[in-house]
Amino acid sequence: MAKIQALFKDTAIYGLSSIVGRFLNYLLVPLYTAKISAASGGYGIITNMYAYVALILVLLTFGMETTYFRFANKTHEDPMRVYSTTLLSVGTVSLTFALLVLAFLSPVSRLMGYADHPSYVGVMAVTVAIDAFLCIPFAYLRQQKKAIKFAALKLLNIIVSIVLNVLYFAVLNGKDVGYAFYINLVCSSLLMVCLLKELTGFCWILDRDVLKRMLAYAWPILILGIAGILNQTADKMLFPYIYEGSDMNEQLGIYGAASKIAMIMAMITQAFRYAYEPIVFAGVKDKDQHQMYAKAMKFFLIFTLLAYLIVMAYIDVLKYIIGSDYWSGLRVVPIVMAAEIMMGVYFNLSFWYKVTDRTIWGAVFSGIGCTVLLVVNVVFVPRFGYIACAWGGFAGYGVAMVVSYLVGQKYYPIAYPLRQMALYVLMTVILLVMMNYAASHYHLGVVRQLVFNTLCVSFFVSYLLHNDLPLSSLPFVGKYFRKQ
């Protein structure tokens, strides 16, 4: 129970920074969608470019973030030697990438469809190289349980980004989407300065023997990461090549903007991962570890389902995050959110092959899911447009999740509370049906509909607090209720 409480505490810190940070970052979405019309296709460019950035970030870190946690917690390894080796290897790869892109900027820009704007590609190449390198000192902060500094720096980065974006797009009334990329470069450079303490004060050594063993562990994680990130971004990268309409950038922008509303699931998954990963690897030999996996999975599913309910209950309010000419894409929100839940469950299932050093299985599962996603996109996007992108992600994550569970129960069986988890899923479905039925048949109006939806969400929360999470067990607030 102590580990679960520690998990809640760290998740609260990471989650607060992640949720607050993402919320602040959401301020850029109404800013961009207000200043950049859907018809102009500008937001489509931003959506497409950041999809490439996400994939490149995985390639440049090549699984070394997770590998660092694994090796830094091995009893026979020198943690600082592992850290130094990780920094040098990721730094070398990132620097090489940036230099190659700058050296061949024109052909690379043409290949990506930005022949008229090669500066977009060049600036983002340098930015993503810096971000990839900084993933390692941020991992070091997590491994050292310095959650406060981690969260503070993440928030600082976002706040500076928002201020600069507001200054250009709102105050100066700028229209060039390229400035969004220039601002990212400034923010990443600032983070580098803020992390100087984590980059100094030790001997920088590239231990070839350690690196060799780390790479052997990391390469399946790299494949896993590539497949995983393609599950999230392949549709946005492929869309310009497979969509047959002349309004490609407009449609991609609408899909990208609407999907932002669904990203609360990504926030929760990311916050959970930041707290969960170091705890898992640090306690890999503990006797109660299997029980912790099962409880963590249950509570992860519960809170993501609650988030799903909240977003769907207040979608009539949340839609104002994006400009009104992007509202036609709101139909993808429930699909994308459901896909994100399955992605989170899949992430929780992934620890059996990480702690047993069978990371090749992760590559297999993600590869299968990615293949499903690509097939759905290639076959259905030309006919149905971006709605097929959303269903492609749903299908890909669903298949990967199911296959991972089935194989994992064979090699590393964990007694997940499936019956209790299924009850929460069923409750969520029933409450969603009730909210949709009331909206479509009774036409309550916005205010009364929101009140009814709030009652549905409150029922879910009441059941949770009564059956699985009494207030006395919570960190911080639990002290008060235990006194009563």
Side-chain angles (χ1 to χ4, degrees):
M1 191 62 185
K3 284 193 174 182
I4 290 293
Q5 289 179 341
L7 178 61
F8 276 133
K9 182 179 179 181
D10 283 357
T11 302
I13 296 174
Y14 290 123
L16 180 62
S17 66
S18 180
I19 291 172
V20 172
R22 289 292 184 99
F23 174 76
L24 292 174
N25 215 17
Y26 273 154
L27 297 178
L28 295 179
V29 179
L31 176 65
Y32 289 153
T33 54
K35 294 294 182 178
I36 306 170
S37 68
S40 71
Y43 196 74
I45 293 174
I46 292 176
T47 300
N48 179 249
M49 185 67 78
Y50 283 123
Y52 279 107
V53 166
L55 174 61
I56 294 169
L57 192 62
V58 170
L59 293 172
L60 296 184
T61 54
F62 54 98
M64 292 297 279
E65 187 178 4
T66 297
T67 303
Y68 164 70
F69 285 121
R70 179 61 171 150
F71 278 73
N73 285 290
K74 286 189 173 183
T75 55
H76 61 279
E77 300 285 2
D78 179 353
M80 292 310 298
R81 203 174 188 88
V82 170
Y83 179 52
S84 174
T85 299
T86 309
L87 278 173
L88 285 169
S89 58
V90 174
T92 300
V93 171
S94 299
L95 179 60
T96 302
F97 164 79
L99 293 175
L100 286 174
V101 172
L102 293 176
F104 300 97
L105 188 57
S106 293
V108 171
S109 300
R110 285 197 300 271
L111 182 64
M112 294 177 62
Y114 296 103
D116 295 334
H117 301 284
S119 61
Y120 295 178
V121 177
V123 169
M124 289 308 293
V126 175
T127 304
V128 75
I130 295 174
D131 289 344
F133 176 68
L134 294 183
C135 281
I136 307 307
F138 271 119
Y140 176 77
L141 290 176
R142 290 164 56 201
Q143 195 267 336
Q144 295 292 312
K145 304 294 178 63
K146 295 182 179 179
I148 299 295
K149 182 171 183 178
F150 179 100
L153 289 180
K154 290 290 186 179
L155 288 176
L156 173 65
N157 180 59
I158 293 170
I159 291 171
V160 173
S161 175
I162 291 172
V163 170
L164 293 178
N165 272 283
V166 169
L167 179 63
Y168 175 73
F169 287 101
V171 178
L172 300 178
N173 202 31
K175 301 295 184 181
D176 186 353
V177 297
Y179 275 82
F181 309 136
Y182 304 144
I183 289 169
N184 266 8
L185 177 58
V186 171
C187 294
S188 296
S189 301
L190 176 62
L191 277 183
M192 176 79 81
V193 175
C194 293
L195 286 166
L196 283 179
K197 183 177 179 180
E198 283 66 39
L199 298 172
T200 56
F202 60 92
C203 186
W204 286 63
I205 298 174
L206 181 66
D207 189 317
R208 295 180 182 274
D209 179 62
V210 171
L211 180 59
K212 182 178 180 181
R213 286 184 281 114
M214 291 182 76
L215 290 176
Y217 182 89
W219 75 262
I221 297 178
L222 170 60
I223 298 175
L224 164 65
I226 293 172
I229 202 65
L230 284 176
N231 279 332
Q232 300 178 50
T233 62
D235 51 355
K236 301 172 185 67
M237 290 187 289
L238 283 175
F239 196 83
Y241 300 101
I242 58 179
Y243 181 70
E244 297 178 351
S246 59
D247 57 345
M248 179 271 297
N249 278 330
E250 177 183 355
Q251 293 298 303
L252 181 57
I254 291 173
Y255 173 55
S259 296
K260 288 291 185 181
I261 298 177
M263 286 300 103
I264 189 171
M265 289 303 170
M267 286 189 274
I268 295 174
T269 302
Q270 185 183 57
F272 194 83
R273 175 195 169 200
Y274 284 155
Y276 194 33
E277 209 166 34
I279 291 175
V280 166
F281 285 119
V284 66
K285 296 181 180 178
D286 291 355
K287 295 180 179 179
D288 64 343
Q289 199 71 353
H290 282 61
Q291 186 179 7
M292 181 191 171
Y293 291 154
K295 287 184 177 179
M297 173 69 85
K298 174 185 172 181
F299 285 114
F300 173 82
L301 181 64
I302 288 172
F303 285 113
T304 51
L305 289 174
L306 175 58
Y308 189 100
L309 268 178
I310 291 172
V311 171
M312 297 313 301
Y314 303 107
I315 191 67
D316 286 333
V317 176
L318 293 174
K319 68 182 182 181
Y320 289 98
I321 290 174
I322 60 178
S324 58
D325 53 342
Y326 293 84
W327 287 357
S328 60
L330 291 174
R331 55 188 175 140
V332 306
V333 172
I335 306 169
V336 175
M337 288 187 69
E340 288 289 339
I341 291 177
M342 291 189 289
M343 187 272 283
V345 172
Y346 171 59
F347 169 78
N348 278 271
L349 292 170
S350 71
F351 279 100
W352 75 262
Y353 57 75
K354 290 180 180 177
V355 298
T356 59
D357 295 345
R358 293 188 174 100
T359 47
I360 185 64
W361 279 110
V364 173
F365 302 146
S366 290
I368 292 172
C370 185
T371 300
V372 172
L373 179 145
L374 292 174
V375 169
V376 171
N377 273 266
V378 171
V379 173
F380 295 106
V381 165
R383 181 177 179 183
F384 298 103
Y386 60 76
I387 193 69
C389 296
W391 282 113
F394 181 94
Y397 281 131
V399 170
M401 176 186 70
V402 172
V403 175
S404 180
Y405 171 77
L406 295 175
V407 177
Q409 290 302 95
K410 177 181 178 181
Y411 288 96
Y412 197 82
I414 297 173
Y416 293 112
L418 297 180
R419 185 172 299 178
Q420 297 175 40
M421 292 163 63
L423 178 60
Y424 276 100
V425 173
L426 179 61
M427 188 192 314
T428 303
V429 172
I430 291 174
L431 292 173
L432 284 172
V433 170
M434 290 172 59
M435 290 190 293
N436 289 330
Y437 186 84
S440 60
H441 289 75
Y442 293 102
H443 306 292
L444 300 176
V446 175
V447 175
R448 284 184 292 177
Q449 181 66 50
L450 289 175
V451 171
F452 178 77
N453 293 351
T454 300
L455 292 174
C456 291
V457 174
S458 299
F459 176 84
F460 186 101
V461 173
S462 299
Y463 182 88
L464 167 62
L465 294 178
H466 181 268
N467 291 277
D468 290 293
L469 197 64
L471 292 173
S472 59
S473 68
L474 295 175
F476 307 121
V477 298
K479 294 180 180 179
Y480 172 79
F481 285 96
R482 283 193 291 269
K483 292 178 182 178
Q484 305 304 309

